[in-house]
Each structure stands twice: as structure tokens, then as C-alpha cells.
Amino acid sequence: MTTTTIAGHEVEVNEEGFLTNPAQWSEDLAPELARLIGIETLTEDHWKLIRFLREDHAAMGETATLRRASTQTGMPVKTLFTLFPVKPAKKMAYVSGLPKPKGCV
Amino acid sequence: MTMSDTPIVPSFDADESSGRKLAIICSKGNLDMAYPGLILANAALGEGVETHLFFTFWGFDIINKATMGDLKFSFVGNTAMHMPGHSMGIHHMLGALPGATAGATKFLKKQIADLDVPDVPEFLELLSGSGAHMWACRLSADMNHLTEDDLYEGVEAIISASDFIELTDGAQLLFI
């Protein structure tokens, strides 16, 4: 377990850099987490996904998969790949301060 | 517990630069043999891996618009002979009775849907939206008297086996 400072907040992260405690995340952390992985600006569509992921994790106890994020928000999978390129599910989770999704589909 | 001044950042784009490529040959048209290829393709795409699927022989049923929503699961010739999650085996003789395949198919489809895994046509949409390259086998198309109009729209073309080998140069390969 490592403690690091992101956007002025002291947070605990795992060996990959994902936050280990979702409660340590707040909305002002997201733009900095996004910047660290090469996403310079968070648009309203990014926020829609981040907020869905946070609410869904709080309700379900696990991080939504890409398909779940797509079907539940009504945003096409293709859009998710545009907003969070290459590895959308993991990047969305990272910016939202959540663990990587465990589900296969 | 240690302190780190510079944040540890996941190396999300490491695979992209490595140019990793995956080729999946789908040769079976049973419901339970369609899913492994689709699920692995979806996983690879989600990891940023360039993914190609080649549908051949009975695997053609996965992309044939007339059959893709109606793949079957049968106990006959299935050495596992039980439903997922249920250890009770079904005798081959019973599996061959009229209605056994329809019942088993219905049950498996429900198990899949309960896990929030899409049916085959929706799964193809998911793969297509994720950037999968889907190819249909030329020989299978000729054998089934089918053209591109008969196939799922996301299929890029009907190509020969040698075309597929050529365009998946350097790829890791899965035969299902």
C-alpha cells in the first residue's frame, strides 16, 4: 500500500496506481487523474460516465464493465472508446477512483 | 505503508505501442461454442488489442442473420453432459429425445441473460462498436450459398483463408 498526493489530496493507491479506497475520491480529483493518463479535458460526457460509475459502484459494490456502462447510460460503446481511448473500462475506473472492473463482459 | 511524491500511474497504453494483435477463428455454431470466441474478443478489444475474428464452417451460423439469434445448445455429443452450475449429468439417450435441445437451449440462454451477458446478435454489436474486425470465410459462404447481404453488417468482407492468414501476420491465434 502506498500513499500519494493527487490534486492536493492524500490518497492510498495500489501497485498499479488505482485508488484503493473509493471514499478518498472526490470530483476535484478526477481532472488530475484524467490528466495523468493523457485525457486533458473532461467533457460533460466524461462526467456522465464518471458519475454513473460512482453511483453504480456504491449501489452494486463493484465497478461496472464497459457494456454495463454503455447500456445503463445509453452511450454507445464506440463513444466510450473515443472518450477513454484504448482501454476505456480501466481508464474510466481509474479516473473515478474505483477498482478495475472484474466482470468478463 | 510508503509515501510516494510522484503519483504511480497505470501504464494503460503499454500494449498499444507493442502492436499486439489477436486472431480468433470461430469454427463452431453451437450456442456454447459461440460464446468463448465472442467473450475473448471483447476482452482483447477492451485491452486495446487489435482483434480479428474469422468465421468459418459452422461458425458461420454466428454471423448469418438467419441463424445468429437462434444458435442451439445440445447434450448430444457434449462430453460434459450437464448444465453449467449443475453437476447432475444428462444421459445421452435423454439428450436425444425430442425437445431436449430446445429445453437445454432455453435454459442456457436464461443463464447467460441472468449474468447480463448479451445474446449473440447484441454481442456482435458490442464487438463492432469496440472496433473488432470480422471476416467471413469464402468457402463457407460458397457452401452455404450466402453473400455479404446475408451476413451481419459488421462483417467487413468475405475473404479466403489465405487472405486471413496474410492480414493476421504476427497475430496470436485462437482456434475455437
Side-chain angles (χ1 to χ4, degrees):
Chain A
M1 192 80 82
T2 307
T3 305
T4 187
T5 307
I6 296 173
H9 296 267
E10 209 167 274
V11 292
E12 286 164 19
V13 295
N14 67 11
E15 65 283 357
E16 278 187 281
F18 283 78
L19 266 66
T20 52
N21 181 0
Q24 291 181 338
W25 183 91
S26 55
E27 290 204 352
D28 53 333
L29 231 64
E32 178 62 10
L33 289 167
R35 197 190 59 76
L36 288 170
I37 58 166
I39 299 169
E40 295 302 330
T41 319
L42 288 179
T43 64
E44 200 40 56
D45 280 346
H46 286 104
W47 278 111
K48 194 175 160 187
L49 286 161
I50 293 166
R51 289 187 183 123
F52 164 74
L53 242 63
R54 293 291 304 183
E55 285 164 19
D56 196 59
H57 182 271
M60 309 299 288
E62 57 181 291
T63 308
T65 60
L66 191 66
R67 172 169 185 268
R68 183 170 169 80
S70 167
T71 53
Q72 298 290 313
T73 60
M75 293 172 78
V77 169
K78 208 171 191 163
T79 309
L80 270 52
F81 270 92
T82 312
L83 294 170
F84 296 93
V86 188
K87 297 185 185 185
K90 284 184 179 173
K91 285 186 178 174
M92 283 192 299
Y94 176 74
V95 174
S96 308
L98 299 170
K100 293 187 279 195
K102 289 195 185 77
C104 280
V105 182
Chain B
M1 186 80 83
T2 53
M3 272 296 284
S4 168
D5 289 336
T6 44
I8 307 159
V9 181
S11 53
F12 287 120
D13 297 326
D15 279 348
E16 186 190 28
S17 53
S18 76
R20 189 173 169 194
K21 213 165 156 181
L22 179 67
I24 304 176
I25 299 174
C26 299
S27 71
K28 308 276 197 303
N30 305 5
L31 184 62
D32 53 322
M33 290 307 284
Y35 274 99
L38 301 177
I39 290 168
L40 289 164
N42 182 56
L45 291 161
E47 288 300 301
V49 177
E50 181 185 326
T51 305
H52 296 262
L53 295 117
F54 188 62
F55 297 92
T56 185
F57 276 83
W58 312 121
F60 225 71
D61 284 356
I62 300 171
I63 49 162
N64 181 348
K65 280 192 266 195
T67 52
M68 65 185 193
D70 198 26
L71 301 183
K72 304 271 195 303
F73 170 61
S74 176
F75 292 113
V76 181
N78 183 343
T79 47
M81 289 195 304
H82 62 86
M83 295 303 299
H86 298 263
S87 58
M88 194 183 74
I90 306 286
H91 195 280
H92 270 181
M93 296 294 278
L94 292 176
L97 289 175
T101 296
T105 300
K106 200 175 163 200
F107 195 83
L108 183 60
K109 279 189 170 179
K110 188 179 178 306
Q111 285 187 313
I112 290 167
D114 286 349
L115 290 172
D116 202 23
V117 173
D119 61 20
V120 170
E122 198 193 327
F123 216 129
L124 294 175
E125 289 289 318
L126 174 64
L127 295 182
S128 192
S130 304
H133 298 283
M134 299 190 231
W135 309 98
C137 162
R138 161 60 53 204
L139 182 63
S140 307
D142 292 346
M143 275 168 50
N144 289 293
H145 309 291
L146 297 171
T147 66
E148 281 177 22
D149 292 342
D150 300 305
L151 305 177
Y152 169 68
E153 294 82 8
V155 173
E156 288 177 43
I158 297 175
I159 61 171
S160 69
S162 35
D163 288 341
F164 182 73
I165 295 297
E166 198 173 9
L167 67 87
T168 55
D169 181 25
Q172 292 168 312
L173 190 134
L174 277 174
F175 180 85
I176 297 172

